[in-house]
Amino acid sequence: MCACLQLVLGCDADEGLGEDPVAPSTSSVAPSSATWVLDWAPGDAQPLASGWTGVNDLGFTVTVEAGWIGSWGASLVQCADARVADAGLAVATPGLVARGHASGVDDLSAEVFDLVESLTELGVARGEARELDGARYCAAHYLLAPLSVLSAGVEQAERELDEHARALELGGASVLIIGSWTHPSRGAGTFVIRSDQAYGKILELELDADWDAGDRSRVDLVIRRPLDAMFDGVDFELDPADDAGWTVLGNLARGTSVTVEPGDARASEG
């Protein structure tokens, strides 16, 4: 696990890191301060009294009754490193190593959330402002990773899990989802999706539409995950839980956007 949590690109997919990095964005920023924000993009997902429902690309109507993911952290990728990654060479973002392991290099942009996020009680998590050194960044790295007893919010999540299925364990899982499915021609059923793999992805930076109106020296880096598309490609009748878990992790990582917003945007809302 340590090798993958060091986010070394080119790590074998079976070890838990994602696919080839995207090409570096034409957008670049050189802020003096940045704050990471975890958020959601619900899309076509429909909220229920408890949980939510949606339809995946294979025609399964999915109802999520309970679910959690492990958001380990995020870091910015300097433009020179993004170009190296695009060329297919190994490059590390060493600020996101496992707790207790030396990174070897200080990454001023790295935010270690090590956070349990509910997939039914959607929230926004905001890190502390990080002072940077004026480097220019073209991309960001987001990592989903297994939860531990030290993860923020794990005790509350475990209490909620006990209400649904006492036999299941949240510790060591990067994703755990409980729910049911129906299909027009294939009947109905229930499911438990679980994976203990890590999944990291380099994503191009996107500039917010109000960028010109904001302060470019202090920015928010808003990570939005695609709730409605997280089950795309999952065959609930045939796919084993581990395979489905890997697909969900990949959908969450690949479909994520990282938007650079004026740093005072959310502070003024609060």
Side-chain angles (χ1 to χ4, degrees):
M1 180 61 67
C2 284
C4 286
L5 287 178
Q6 289 178 22
L7 307 188
V8 179
L9 300 181
C11 177
D12 191 281
D14 290 338
E15 293 184 72
L17 278 185
E19 301 171 354
D20 292 339
V22 298
S25 169
T26 54
S27 300
S28 65
V29 294
S32 61
S33 174
T35 302
W36 291 98
V37 181
L38 291 172
D39 202 352
W40 293 96
D44 294 328
Q46 299 298 312
L48 302 172
S50 177
W52 57 273
T53 187
V55 181
N56 80 351
D57 60 341
L58 300 182
F60 288 88
T61 297
V62 187
T63 299
V64 175
E65 299 169 7
W68 302 268
I69 62 169
S71 283
W72 177 262
S75 63
L76 286 168
V77 180
Q78 294 188 30
C79 294
D81 290 338
R83 286 191 292 272
V84 170
D86 188 43
L89 303 177
V91 60
T93 50
L96 292 181
V97 296
R99 180 179 282 121
H101 291 68
S103 67
V105 178
D106 251 347
D107 185 343
L108 297 176
S109 74
E111 177 73 53
V112 177
F113 288 103
D114 192 10
L115 173 67
V116 183
E117 289 190 272
S118 171
L119 295 176
T120 55
E121 299 293 332
L122 302 180
V124 178
R126 185 181 181 89
E128 298 293 329
R130 312 194 70 80
E131 300 303 318
L132 306 179
D133 60 3
R136 183 158 294 277
Y137 300 97
C138 285
H141 199 294
Y142 172 54
L143 178 62
L144 296 145
L147 302 163
S148 75
V149 294
L150 299 177
S151 299
V154 69
E155 293 182 0
Q156 174 65 28
E158 287 178 335
R159 287 194 293 269
E160 294 171 358
L161 175 59
D162 283 345
E163 297 175 3
H164 293 273
R166 289 184 177 273
L168 297 177
E169 292 186 5
L170 187 59
S174 51
V175 59
L176 175 60
I177 310 174
I178 303 168
S180 60
W181 60 267
T182 62
H183 191 277
S185 62
R186 298 166 66 178
T190 60
F191 67 85
V192 173
I193 291 176
R194 189 183 190 280
S195 178
D196 61 0
Q197 294 179 290
Y199 202 115
K201 187 68 177 175
I202 286 184
L203 302 154
E204 62 184 88
L205 297 178
E206 302 177 14
L207 298 185
D208 181 71
D210 295 329
W211 175 251
D212 288 338
D215 179 1
R216 295 192 180 208
S217 65
R218 310 188 72 83
V219 301
D220 284 353
L221 302 165
V222 185
I223 302 171
R224 290 189 177 90
R225 286 69 53 82
L227 194 68
D228 63 336
M230 65 187 297
F231 295 114
D232 281 356
V234 176
D235 187 321
F236 287 87
E237 189 177 32
L238 300 178
D239 289 353
D242 285 348
D243 291 351
W246 178 251
T247 300
V248 168
L249 288 172
N251 288 337
L252 286 172
R254 292 189 301 270
T256 290
S257 64
V258 181
T259 307
V260 184
E261 301 184 358
D264 56 355
R266 287 172 180 253
S268 62
E269 292 174 6

